Amino acid sequence: MILIANSEAWPGFEKSVELLQQNAHGIDAMVAGITEVEREVKVRSVGYGGWPNMLGKMELDAGVMDGTTRDVGAVGAVPDTLAVAALAREVMRRLPHVMLTGDGARRFATEIGFPLDDVLFDDSKRVWWQRLEKELSSEQLSAFPDIALAPLSRAITDPERVRDTTVFLSKDMAGGIHAATSTSGWAWKYPGRLGDSPIAGAGFYADSRYGAAACTHTGEMTIRCGTARSIVLALRFGYSLREAVDMAIDDLAELDTGFLAGVVVHAIDAAGNHDVASFRCPGEIKYWFWEPQLSKPELRIARQYDPRPTTQRGNA
């Protein structure tokens, strides 16, 4: 067995470990842990502690993938719902669809008994409004929200304030390799924006035959490159885990248009190896790691991606 998650996973990582030790399915173990993260106000990138969109509304995203069946459940831009990872799991279990968004996702949540949640933390609301006051003219503030938001998207949208999803990857006792994610997305994003977190192949992907990967930070980039799927596909083609991760980051490094910033890649393979690599992210990036040989989970430091010369790419 193995479990890795990014540093924001601290409120629920040990719960996931405990459930894996009890022979829980990997998705159930990870969703139980993520649910604790979603409730924790000190985690400012997920659930209740996250940040609203430009209109001051919380829109939460999540995804799960069963690597043995390759079934996926995902939800995006969900209002009034904290437990979006659990909701994504129910999409996978109950519907013929892969993803629900917005009011449709909330309708489904109500149908299956999820409560309406208060998802906007008072401090997040206060900081959101202060940012609007800084960026908007008095005339715009008076007319808000009936103003054009698109011209403000680069000035107000703040991917630096919230730099993370929470991502979990596991191999359970049955040998299944699975992935789960949850996020509140960019602070002050344009309403309806989805990053990579609910998109299978971009923000997460799992295949029990080969491995799994998940990404945090700049989802717009990993959507464009299909980063998580690229890593698992490279494993299928016989590359080592380190080679697969570096090849996917090489692809990100070649982007030269659109919004460009940092990405952190988390990955495991079927042999029990793991790799966490930081690309263009300042400072130390940490992640949680556990395997049965450890007495308790460890907080480790991700490696910094070391770009290879162009002549070596494709010849790993």
Side-chain angles (χ1 to χ4, degrees):
M1 293 189 292
I2 188 173
L3 180 69
I4 68 170
N6 62 328
S7 61
E8 279 72 11
W10 60 267
F13 192 80
E14 290 189 1
K15 177 181 282 291
S16 295
V17 168
E18 179 182 346
L19 289 171
L20 286 173
Q21 291 173 320
Q22 295 171 6
N23 198 26
H25 189 280
I27 289 180
D28 294 337
M30 293 187 295
V31 167
I34 287 177
T35 299
E36 297 299 317
V37 181
E38 291 165 338
R39 294 171 179 162
E40 176 54 65
V41 71
K42 294 179 183 177
V43 178
R44 302 312 303 268
S45 57
V46 178
Y48 190 58
W51 300 98
N53 66 20
M54 282 190 193
L55 297 178
K57 306 293 184 182
M58 295 292 288
E59 296 179 317
L60 305 183
D61 311 326
V64 299
M65 184 166 185
D66 184 317
T68 302
T69 63
R70 284 180 280 173
D71 288 331
V72 172
V75 293
V78 187
D80 304 320
T81 311
L82 281 179
V84 284
L87 185 61
R89 178 180 58 186
E90 295 309 311
V91 170
M92 181 181 72
R93 287 176 171 175
R94 297 174 185 248
L95 295 178
H97 311 310
V98 165
M99 180 184 290
L100 295 179
T101 61
D103 291 340
R106 180 57 245 184
R107 179 189 176 99
F108 174 66
T110 300
E111 287 182 7
I112 63 175
F114 278 56
L116 284 169
D117 295 318
D118 176 11
V119 293
L120 181 57
F121 181 41
D122 285 344
D123 184 65
S124 298
K125 183 177 181 180
R126 176 187 61 81
V127 175
W128 159 76
W129 186 250
Q130 286 181 344
R131 181 62 180 270
L132 288 181
E133 290 179 318
K134 177 181 177 182
E135 298 291 345
L136 301 183
S137 68
S138 58
E139 292 79 7
Q140 288 174 313
L141 286 170
S142 297
F144 188 84
D146 297 322
I147 63 173
L149 299 179
L152 303 171
S153 61
R154 291 187 180 272
I156 294 180
T157 299
D158 191 353
E160 299 305 312
R161 176 173 290 277
V162 52
R163 295 190 59 85
D164 256 325
T165 307
T166 193
V167 297
F168 282 55
L169 301 174
S170 69
K171 183 177 183 180
D172 61 24
M173 199 172 290
I177 295 176
H178 313 294
T181 71
S182 181
T183 189
S184 59
W186 280 9
W188 304 290
K189 60 194 173 185
Y190 196 97
R193 177 262 184 185
L194 295 181
D196 64 337
S197 299
I199 299 178
F204 65 98
Y205 198 82
D207 186 325
S208 298
R209 298 170 296 177
Y210 310 111
C215 307
T216 68
H217 291 48
T218 313
E220 276 67 12
M221 294 172 65
T222 57
I223 291 171
R224 293 167 65 189
C225 291
T227 302
R229 170 64 170 154
S230 294
I231 292 166
V232 177
L233 193 60
L235 293 173
R236 179 178 181 177
F237 291 157
Y239 288 92
S240 71
L241 185 62
R242 174 75 175 255
E243 290 169 341
V245 170
D246 280 354
M247 288 170 64
I249 299 179
D250 286 345
D251 203 23
L252 294 171
E254 291 175 358
L255 296 176
D256 60 7
T257 62
F259 186 89
L260 304 176
V263 172
V264 181
V265 172
H266 306 71
I268 62 176
D269 66 18
N273 302 304
H274 80 283
D275 188 26
V276 181
S278 171
F279 170 58
R280 291 181 182 160
C281 295
E284 286 185 346
I285 299 295
K286 297 182 179 181
Y287 68 96
W288 289 100
F289 173 76
W290 173 82
E291 59 184 0
Q293 292 83 357
L294 297 176
S295 60
K296 62 180 182 179
E298 294 181 352
L299 187 62
R300 297 186 173 184
I301 298 173
R303 68 179 175 91
Q304 291 287 335
Y305 162 76
D306 183 17
R308 296 173 293 160
T310 303
T311 56
Q312 293 183 15
R313 295 178 184 176
N315 298 305

